[in-house]
Amino acid sequence: MSKFLDVLKARREAAYREIYRYLPRDGEPRSFWELLREYPERQGKGLRPTLLLLTCEALGGSPEKAIKTAAAYQTFEDWVLIHDDLEDGSEQRRGKPALHHICGPSLSINTGDALHIIMWRMLLDNEPILGAESALQVMREVNRIILTTTVGQHLEMEWMRDNRINLTEADYLQMARQKAGVYTIEGPIRLGAILADAAPKLLESISQFGAPLGVAFQIQDDVLNLQGDSKLYGKEIAGDIAEGKRTLILIYLLQRISAEQRRRVDQVYRLPREQKTPEQIAEILQWMKETGSVESASQRSRELAREALGLFQKAFALVPDSQAKNDLQEAFDFVISRQL
Amino acid sequence: MSKFLDVLKARREAAYREIYRYLPRDGEPRSFWELLREYPERQGKGLRPTLLLLTCEALGGSPEKAIKTAAAYQTFEDWVLIHDDLEDGSEQRRGKPALHHICGPSLSINTGDALHIIMWRMLLDNEPILGAESALQVMREVNRIILTTTVGQHLEMEWMRDNRINLTEADYLQMARQKAGVYTIEGPIRLGAILADAAPKLLESISQFGAPLGVAFQIQDDVLNLQGDSKLYGKEIAGDIAEGKRTLILIYLLQRISAEQRRRVDQVYRLPREQKTPEQIAEILQWMKETGSVESASQRSRELAREALGLFQKAFALVPDSQAKNDLQEAFDFVISRQL
């Protein structure tokens, strides 16, 4: 695993080096560019650009050809997090205050928009590297991926706004597929494959295992939110409960508690974040652990991942062995265990 | 003038017909697509796509080739207004409640992002019509225009957040050039010219008259905000004062009143919108009128426009006369007078 962290680090740093070329330190007006650099300078884990680059290499493509797309994809994560943090009322991001706590909500909406525009600029700059047709194909794929992400985000926020907690596992899986499945795994792997000129058939099978693996990742992320060490995780612990996020853990919990307890959970989830007391959050967190809801969700995540991994091995069976293919396999193990 | 309204109507309707093809009524999930359709269904005036289409035609280009770009440009207006209305705390848009008053701030940020993504989709669909290279050229131009707009928006919001009212006319003109000059006039005209394969020299001269004309338009818009009929104008009267917007009118006012009055204006502008009383707003509005600040700003707008118009006539002197060229001239008259 520690070897994979080196793989991740190298790819993440390559992606961010490219990103910083688009976010000049001496850009004017100074305060505009400073806000744009805030999240990119904190650096995400770089999982998505790493998956993109490894897939491209494993399929015989050149990493130099993929670097702008990897940078753009990481920039997608960075701009969408600016807007998500505001939408979800998050306090922290990557171990520091969320952007809207630094510059206020209005400037942070605009900063997210500006970074979104710069993401497209990076993709436009693929033209001299890939040629016009391929540059456009990559952009069309990114367009599909990120629109799907906004659909998933819409569903999740609508549930929260309407105080809906009576959701089924199927509701959750559909939303998570759109929001995380496509965004975290399917998207970057398909892009990497497109940059390596993969056959349409391979692209299809990538979609089949990529999305479930991304859902597994999301469920595990929700589990970590309740368990992790805030310093490593970069967000506050049980922030998802404070935020009222609809997770698979919540759905399992509601199936396993009394009507009286359900009413109580419903009451607390209806409260705006700032009105929820630490005691209320701690109580629900305890129920989630006591009923085994956290563990069941973690198990469901492992099941989904195992299934997806089988499909990946089938799809990549004919791909020649290489360091990159090996690293990609390790990346998936990492995605499943999420022990970072 | 009424003839120009017909010209505007025809182009606006053509642009929105194209836009609606990207926003299906039966799209799933229903509530996602309904929110995306909300501002486009209210329809803007269509000035920007009209300028784009008229310029393309006047320079011998085909309107069919320009329609997706015109639709995308109108979609830019529509998504950026969703975010602007939230950033500025606006109450109304196009005669109805602002989107965040319908679905809340979180869903409206996400809806703006989704519409932004669909804007790029429209531009990607230029490929079969224009060819890959030209489609990319158009996208690069749009990218430059809309990034400039976010810079102007950033400056303006930063002044408001920091309670800065000691601005010079030069500060204002720079911000207005970035925010409105490029967005409203220079951008659409340059795009129309690019779609007609105009020479680089003509594109350069368009930048020279386009931006000042856009600034003139913005100043006149600020004047109308204080004068207009809410039903026709589609926003609340003196909303700019309530919002604390830094306008040329405010800058002139501060130059023409006593230190005591300046302190009072400063105090009121510092208040959040909801704490400003109708009496406070009415008092400042009266001072703006009494001191001739509204009239002076309107005059400055006319000066800027006259100068720009001279440059336009010079730049287009060799363009053969046509209905489109004539309509374009009328469009500029319309921009200046803004008597809609």
Side-chain angles (χ1 to χ4, degrees):
Chain A
M1 185 57 73
S2 80
K3 217 182 99 262
F4 178 66
L5 289 183
D6 292 338
V7 171
L8 195 64
K9 184 167 181 279
R11 301 304 189 291
R12 171 181 67 232
E13 287 177 354
Y16 274 110
R17 257 196 310 277
E18 186 65 29
I19 289 171
Y20 299 150
R21 297 183 52 213
Y22 288 83
L23 303 172
R25 262 180 207 284
D26 53 358
E28 288 287 348
R30 202 54 65 97
S31 62
F32 174 80
W33 291 101
E34 273 170 9
L35 290 183
L36 260 74
R37 289 178 69 94
E38 184 66 38
Y39 277 18
E41 283 190 340
R42 295 180 190 180
Q43 296 203 353
K45 295 195 188 68
L47 174 64
R48 295 172 185 88
T50 299
L51 290 175
L52 190 156
L53 291 166
L54 287 178
T55 306
C56 177
E57 286 176 62
L59 297 175
S62 119
E64 292 78 36
K65 276 190 161 181
I67 189 65
K68 288 216 186 269
T69 311
Y73 209 83
Q74 182 59 53
T75 303
F76 169 41
E77 178 179 321
D78 290 6
W79 77 252
V80 93
L81 284 175
I82 294 175
H83 284 182
D84 277 10
D85 285 346
L86 183 57
E87 289 162 8
D88 303 342
S90 300
E91 299 290 334
Q92 292 194 291
R93 173 61 56 189
R94 299 176 182 165
K96 291 185 182 173
L99 191 67
H100 58 277
H101 284 296
I102 294 177
C103 66
S106 297
L107 283 162
S108 75
I109 296 173
N110 191 60
T111 302
D113 289 339
L115 208 51
H116 181 173
I117 294 164
I118 286 173
M119 177 198 80
W120 289 106
R121 178 168 290 185
M122 294 173 186
L123 294 170
L124 286 164
D125 287 349
N126 266 331
E127 186 184 5
I129 306 166
L130 306 178
E133 273 84 9
S134 295
L136 286 164
Q137 194 196 351
V138 167
M139 278 193 265
R140 256 191 300 275
E141 184 70 12
V142 170
N143 199 274
R144 181 191 69 83
I145 294 164
I146 73 177
L147 188 66
T148 304
T149 307
T150 64
V151 173
Q153 176 73 354
H154 171 93
L155 281 178
E156 189 179 31
M157 291 194 299
E158 200 176 41
W159 293 341
M160 287 169 65
R161 187 199 57 181
D162 298 343
N163 293 312
R164 269 198 69 187
I165 62 168
N166 61 333
L167 299 162
T168 63
E169 183 164 344
D171 291 330
Y172 173 82
L173 290 176
Q174 193 200 357
M175 179 280 291
R177 187 185 177 89
Q178 289 175 316
K179 197 181 160 185
V182 173
Y183 161 44
T184 305
I185 312 285
E186 188 207 340
I189 298 182
R190 274 182 61 103
L191 283 166
I194 288 170
L195 288 160
D197 295 318
K201 214 180 146 157
L202 182 60
L203 290 178
E204 248 174 65
S205 58
I206 286 173
S207 294
Q208 269 155 31
F209 73 77
L213 202 53
V215 173
F217 174 89
Q218 182 57 53
I219 296 172
Q220 197 54 22
D221 195 65
D222 295 342
V223 167
L224 278 176
N225 183 278
L226 304 181
Q227 296 183 323
D229 175 328
S230 160
K231 230 162 95 192
L232 285 174
Y233 185 64
K235 294 187 264 190
E236 73 271 40
I237 293 302
D240 285 355
I241 300 177
E243 204 168 275
K245 195 171 165 188
R246 272 59 180 164
T247 63
L248 189 58
I249 305 155
L250 174 69
I251 292 167
Y252 286 157
L253 173 71
L254 292 167
Q255 290 167 355
R256 295 171 187 193
I257 53 180
S258 68
E260 174 55 29
Q261 284 174 304
R262 268 202 300 279
R263 258 196 304 282
R264 208 167 147 70
V265 171
D266 181 69
Q267 274 169 3
V268 174
Y269 268 73
R270 276 172 193 275
L271 294 173
R273 183 192 192 98
E274 62 280 6
Q275 284 178 31
K276 292 188 183 102
T277 67
E279 293 72 27
Q280 287 170 328
I281 292 168
E283 183 178 51
I284 292 174
L285 178 58
Q286 202 188 329
W287 290 351
M288 284 174 170
K289 289 179 177 170
E290 280 172 5
T291 54
S293 302
V294 179
E295 182 44 39
S296 296
S298 188
Q299 203 177 316
R300 187 80 184 87
S301 163
R302 285 193 297 271
E303 279 167 24
L304 277 167
R306 236 192 322 273
E307 206 182 313
L309 228 53
L311 291 172
F312 158 68
Q313 271 142 359
K314 229 175 104 183
F316 276 60
L318 296 176
V319 175
D321 283 336
S322 68
Q323 185 61 48
K325 187 181 169 185
N326 202 47
D327 289 342
L328 193 60
Q329 171 77 54
E330 281 200 38
F332 293 147
D333 295 341
F334 170 79
V335 162
I336 299 158
S337 61
R338 284 301 302 279
Q339 293 301 338
L340 187 69
Chain B
M1 186 56 69
S2 80
K3 215 182 101 264
F4 177 67
L5 290 182
D6 293 337
V7 171
L8 195 63
K9 184 167 182 280
R11 301 303 190 292
R12 172 180 66 232
E13 287 177 353
Y16 275 110
R17 258 197 309 278
E18 186 65 27
I19 290 171
Y20 298 150
R21 295 184 52 214
Y22 287 82
L23 304 172
R25 260 180 208 285
D26 53 359
E28 288 288 346
R30 201 55 66 99
S31 61
F32 174 80
W33 291 100
E34 274 171 9
L35 289 183
L36 259 74
R37 289 178 69 95
E38 183 66 38
Y39 277 18
E41 282 190 340
R42 295 178 190 181
Q43 296 203 352
K45 294 195 190 69
L47 175 64
R48 295 173 185 87
T50 299
L51 290 175
L52 190 156
L53 290 165
L54 287 178
T55 305
C56 178
E57 286 176 63
L59 297 175
S62 117
E64 292 78 36
K65 276 190 159 183
I67 189 66
K68 289 216 185 269
T69 311
Y73 208 84
Q74 181 60 52
T75 302
F76 169 42
E77 177 179 323
D78 289 7
W79 77 252
V80 94
L81 284 175
I82 293 175
H83 285 182
D84 278 9
D85 285 346
L86 183 56
E87 290 162 8
D88 303 341
S90 300
E91 300 290 333
Q92 292 193 292
R93 175 59 59 188
R94 298 176 183 166
K96 291 184 183 173
L99 191 67
H100 57 278
H101 285 296
I102 294 177
C103 66
S106 297
L107 284 161
S108 75
I109 296 172
N110 190 61
T111 302
D113 289 339
L115 208 52
H116 181 174
I117 295 164
I118 287 174
M119 177 198 81
W120 290 107
R121 178 167 291 185
M122 293 173 188
L123 294 170
L124 286 165
D125 287 349
N126 265 331
E127 186 184 4
I129 305 166
L130 306 178
E133 272 85 9
S134 295
L136 285 164
Q137 192 194 353
V138 166
M139 278 192 266
R140 257 192 298 277
E141 183 70 14
V142 170
N143 200 274
R144 180 191 70 83
I145 294 164
I146 73 178
L147 188 67
T148 304
T149 306
T150 65
V151 173
Q153 176 73 354
H154 171 91
L155 282 178
E156 189 179 31
M157 291 194 300
E158 200 176 40
W159 293 340
M160 287 170 65
R161 187 200 56 178
D162 299 342
N163 292 312
R164 269 198 69 185
I165 62 169
N166 61 334
L167 299 161
T168 65
E169 182 162 344
D171 291 330
Y172 173 83
L173 290 176
Q174 192 199 358
M175 179 280 292
R177 188 185 177 89
Q178 289 175 315
K179 196 180 160 187
V182 173
Y183 160 44
T184 306
I185 312 285
E186 188 207 341
I189 297 181
R190 272 182 63 102
L191 283 166
I194 288 169
L195 288 160
D197 296 317
K201 215 182 142 149
L202 182 59
L203 290 179
E204 248 174 68
S205 59
I206 285 172
S207 294
Q208 269 155 31
F209 73 78
L213 203 54
V215 173
F217 174 88
Q218 182 57 52
I219 296 172
Q220 197 55 24
D221 196 65
D222 296 342
V223 167
L224 279 176
N225 182 279
L226 304 181
Q227 297 183 322
D229 176 328
S230 162
K231 229 161 94 190
L232 283 175
Y233 184 64
K235 296 186 262 191
E236 74 272 38
I237 291 305
D240 284 354
I241 300 177
E243 206 168 272
K245 194 170 167 191
R246 273 58 180 165
T247 62
L248 190 58
I249 304 155
L250 173 68
I251 291 167
Y252 286 157
L253 173 70
L254 292 167
Q255 291 167 352
R256 295 172 187 191
I257 54 180
S258 67
E260 173 57 30
Q261 284 175 304
R262 269 202 298 279
R263 260 195 302 281
R264 208 169 147 70
V265 170
D266 183 67
Q267 275 170 3
V268 173
Y269 267 72
R270 276 171 194 274
L271 294 173
R273 184 193 191 98
E274 61 279 8
Q275 284 177 29
K276 292 188 183 101
T277 67
E279 292 72 28
Q280 287 170 327
I281 293 168
E283 184 179 50
I284 292 174
L285 178 58
Q286 201 187 329
W287 289 351
M288 284 173 169
K289 288 180 178 170
E290 279 173 6
T291 55
S293 302
V294 179
E295 182 45 36
S296 294
S298 187
Q299 203 177 315
R300 187 79 184 86
S301 163
R302 285 193 297 272
E303 278 167 26
L304 277 166
R306 236 193 322 272
E307 205 182 312
L309 228 55
L311 292 172
F312 158 69
Q313 270 142 359
K314 229 173 106 184
F316 276 59
L318 295 177
V319 174
D321 282 337
S322 68
Q323 185 62 48
K325 186 180 169 184
N326 202 48
D327 289 342
L328 193 60
Q329 170 77 56
E330 281 200 38
F332 294 145
D333 295 341
F334 169 80
V335 163
I336 301 157
S337 61
R338 285 301 302 280
Q339 293 300 338
L340 189 67

